[in-house]
Amino acid sequence: MLSCEWTAATDHPTVHIRHHVAEALHALGFAQDRIDDVVLAASELAANATEHAEGPYRLLLHNAGPTYLLECHDHSSTLPPVDPRPAPPTHDSPLSEPDADALLTQLGERGRGLAMLSHLSNGRLSAQTTPTGKKVLVTLIRDARKA
């Protein structure tokens, strides 16, 4: 298991996370393309926690046989949406043009992190409250071709 900790005062926490996760995965024998995916997921978890929650923060990487679990802890009890895709408008309540423009503008610049995590994990993204805040979990298959 790998554990990385940081606070809001840590300089460039995502750089720190990427380095330690990549090192651990190399030692575990991951293929480089899968290392890139897991490092990207870990970096996104760290960035989201740092931006949207209070610290201190902790990222854990667990080896669970054919899968690996990334677990990011923070001190906010506000859970992110587990299905990050925006709900499509219904015929009864379509988005007005200004609302649609605002949504497209926002999604163009931000808001893709959870969708990316969901894609990298084949939908194995979840969040749970803890006694001190929450943890966001991403389960990744060691060999993505076997997903």
Side-chain angles (χ1 to χ4, degrees), residues 14-57:
T14 55
V15 172
H16 173 75
I17 297 296
R18 284 192 299 264
H19 172 75
H20 287 288
V21 170
E23 240 179 36
L25 296 176
H26 277 292
L28 291 169
F30 263 62
Q32 185 61 50
D33 61 338
R34 200 58 181 148
I35 289 173
D36 294 341
D37 288 347
V38 177
V39 167
L40 180 60
S43 179
E44 185 60 32
L45 283 171
N48 281 351
T50 305
E51 182 176 346
H52 299 292
E54 293 184 27
Y57 313 96

Side-chain angles (χ1 to χ4, degrees), residues 12-119:
H12 310 291
T14 55
V15 172
H16 173 75
I17 297 296
R18 284 192 299 264
H19 172 75
H20 287 288
V21 170
E23 240 179 36
L25 296 176
H26 277 292
L28 291 169
F30 263 62
Q32 185 61 50
D33 61 338
R34 200 58 181 148
I35 289 173
D36 294 341
D37 288 347
V38 177
V39 167
L40 180 60
S43 179
E44 185 60 32
L45 283 171
N48 281 351
T50 305
E51 182 176 346
H52 299 292
E54 293 184 27
Y57 313 96
R58 186 172 183 199
L59 182 87
L60 303 169
L61 173 64
H62 302 276
N63 177 354
T67 63
Y68 287 83
L69 178 66
L70 281 170
E71 186 176 319
C72 189
H73 292 254
D74 61 49
H75 287 263
S76 168
S77 60
T78 303
L79 297 176
V82 291
D83 184 1
R85 296 167 293 184
T90 65
H91 294 295
D92 297 336
S93 61
L95 286 174
S96 68
E97 194 169 315
D99 291 340
D101 289 343
L103 177 62
L104 290 173
T105 298
Q106 181 182 9
L107 290 177
E109 297 171 12
R110 305 185 44 81
R112 296 186 208 171
L114 290 174
M116 178 186 59
L117 287 170
S118 184
H119 174 76

Side-chain angles (χ1 to χ4, degrees), residues 126-142:
S126 64
Q128 302 168 357
T129 57
T130 67
T132 59
K134 74 171 169 297
K135 61 182 173 181
V136 179
L137 303 124
V138 177
T139 303
L140 301 152
I141 296 173
R142 182 180 175 117

